[in-house]
Amino acid sequence: MFLRAFKYLWPERFLPEPERGDPFVEQTARGPGRTGVLLVNLGTPQAPTAREIRRYLGEFLADPRVIEIPRYLWWPILHGIILTLRPKKLVPRYRGIWMEEGSPLMVYSRRQAQGLSRTLAQRGTGVEVALGMRYGSPSVAAALDELRGRGCERILVVPLYPQYAASTTATAVDAVTRQAARLRDQPELRFIKRFHDDPGYLGAVVGRIEDYWRVHGRPQKLVMSFHGLPRYSVELGDPYYQDCLSTGRLLRERLGLAPEQAPVTFQSRFGTARWLEPYTVPTLIGLAQDGVTEVDVVCPGFLADCLETLEEIQVEGRDAFVAAGGQRLRYIPAVNDDEAWIAALAGLVQRNLQGWPV
């Protein structure tokens, strides 16, 4: 209490030295500084071990935008049950998808950042690019500090979620603004809210599907599986469901498919609440029971492959489909580091940088 009072009465004894010399002497005119792009993805454990998975889940599931349950109810469940039991169960699943370079989501997110940086440089811009993970490392705060250390006075934030949801895009914005709130000399900030109907993004997904079909042939059905949300999130005003339906419709139009040929479904249900429907695995089981033998699944909401695509769809979804009488389920990979997606991402970034010196 007394120390706080002394700081206000004699601040010069407590504040750090000015960073740019004497602030009361006119400084040499500063240039406009550099422009940066911060890509933000969800995050991933640093290793496929129970300890690292627990650390990651602890941060992820503690976010009040992710789990919208009062803390006094959620905290005992999270720390008493989930973080005690779930990490061990997830170890073999993460080990099954782990790449030589690390987690697939981290590997492909880094390649996307590197590809964006390279493409922007080839297009004659001097834009800096950094990658931050909302949960885990490298953190959003560290990525922002990295860009500021490179002299960036303006930063465009690109959450790598095509469809907007409060539990993904909004929490990325929260992390950026929370870090900016700690800064005295803040950079200018812009945010991309969504790009669910961006022609470049849609073209990259369609290109991925058509390239796959050219090599492997077309299936009887294409299922477009998006990550699920609790229904109450949409009832409270979250636009995610409509974004997903819009993306699905636009992809069908480009592929020349009818709604019944390429249904939209939702995966990754968690807990006992009712989530967005139809659910992916029950849909796959229903298709098999109706006599459909060949199904391809694509996950347009995931820009980088991860546990939800490589394990939940490619393994669990396939097993459920075959057990119900289907013969073949194939997962079409995410856009990952595909050149068409990197070019589309660069175009999206450049349009949103208009008016800023690059």
Side-chain angles (χ1 to χ4, degrees):
M1 183 75 175
F2 289 110
L3 181 60
R4 187 179 303 170
F6 278 124
K7 287 184 178 181
Y8 283 106
L9 292 171
W10 294 286
E12 65 275 4
R13 291 180 176 271
F14 297 93
L15 294 177
E17 291 293 320
E19 294 180 1
R20 297 194 180 101
D22 189 341
F24 299 104
V25 175
E26 184 176 359
Q27 306 293 315
T28 303
R30 295 169 59 190
R34 301 181 71 81
T35 296
V37 175
L38 172 59
L39 300 181
V40 181
N41 212 332
L42 188 74
T44 175
Q46 295 300 295
T49 64
R51 179 180 178 180
E52 291 300 322
I53 295 171
R54 185 179 299 109
R55 189 198 310 272
Y56 166 71
L57 286 180
E59 185 180 359
F60 173 49
L61 297 177
D63 190 331
R65 283 199 187 268
V66 173
I67 304 295
E68 298 183 79
I69 298 175
R71 300 292 92 182
Y72 69 91
L73 293 176
W74 175 240
W75 233 238
I77 298 172
L78 175 61
H79 293 278
I81 301 174
I82 294 175
L83 294 182
T84 301
L85 303 176
R86 191 157 177 78
K88 292 179 183 177
K89 293 181 180 179
L90 288 176
V91 168
R93 297 175 64 182
Y94 271 108
R95 285 180 177 168
I97 67 166
W98 215 254
M99 300 170 68
E100 232 178 275
E101 302 166 69
S103 162
L105 185 136
M106 180 64 74
V107 170
Y108 290 122
S109 295
R110 281 186 180 139
R111 291 181 186 175
Q112 288 172 6
Q114 293 163 357
L116 175 62
S117 179
R118 187 167 54 248
T119 302
L120 291 175
Q122 291 169 351
R123 295 182 182 183
T125 74
V127 175
E128 301 287 338
V129 178
L131 171 68
M133 293 292 174
R134 177 60 187 87
Y135 313 102
S137 179
S139 68
V140 168
L144 274 173
D145 288 344
E146 178 186 342
L147 288 173
R148 291 179 70 240
R150 296 189 214 167
C152 293
E153 295 285 346
R154 295 159 302 279
I155 297 174
L156 172 67
V157 182
V158 188
L160 292 171
Y161 315 111
Q163 297 77 28
Y164 175 92
S167 57
T168 52
T169 309
T171 193
V173 174
D174 291 344
V176 171
T177 53
R178 187 161 47 244
Q179 178 64 9
R182 299 189 178 101
L183 304 176
R184 185 171 297 275
D185 184 6
Q186 294 180 330
E188 293 181 61
L189 292 171
R190 288 183 186 174
F191 299 87
I192 293 181
K193 181 175 180 178
R194 54 157 70 83
F195 48 95
H196 66 294
D197 56 358
D198 176 73
Y201 154 69
L202 295 170
V205 176
V206 168
R208 197 72 154 168
I209 295 170
E210 291 180 334
D211 287 347
Y212 189 88
W213 286 350
R214 268 191 289 272
V215 175
H216 303 284
R218 295 170 70 99
Q220 291 171 276
K221 297 279 187 178
L222 172 69
V223 172
M224 295 184 284
S225 180
F226 293 83
H227 199 289
L229 275 187
R231 281 179 60 92
Y232 62 74
S233 297
V234 175
E235 291 165 356
L236 290 172
D238 202 304
Y240 178 76
Y241 180 67
Q242 293 300 324
D243 281 4
C244 293
L245 294 184
S246 178
T247 297
R249 174 178 54 79
L250 292 168
L251 289 173
R252 280 195 299 265
E253 289 174 1
R254 286 173 175 248
L255 290 165
L257 299 175
E260 62 273 13
Q261 293 176 294
V264 166
T265 64
F266 298 90
Q267 64 183 85
S268 307
R269 185 163 42 132
F270 178 79
T272 57
R274 188 178 176 190
W275 281 45
L276 296 179
E277 298 173 275
Y279 302 136
T280 298
V281 169
T283 297
L284 293 172
I285 292 172
L287 289 172
Q289 291 173 341
D290 289 342
V292 175
T293 58
E294 295 182 354
V295 168
D296 284 356
V297 182
V298 67
C299 299
F302 295 89
L303 299 177
D305 276 320
C306 55
L307 190 73
E308 285 81 0
T309 63
L310 298 175
E311 213 279 339
E312 185 177 348
I313 296 298
Q314 191 165 247
V315 177
E316 291 183 8
R318 178 200 63 205
D319 291 350
F321 180 70
V322 172
Q327 294 180 10
R328 185 177 67 182
L329 182 146
R330 304 177 303 191
Y331 167 65
I332 299 176
V335 290
N336 292 326
D337 55 350
D338 185 86
E339 290 183 7
W341 163 236
I342 300 300
L345 179 59
L348 180 70
V349 164
Q350 286 186 284
R351 290 194 298 277
N352 282 271
L353 288 176
Q354 290 184 24
W356 274 357
V358 294

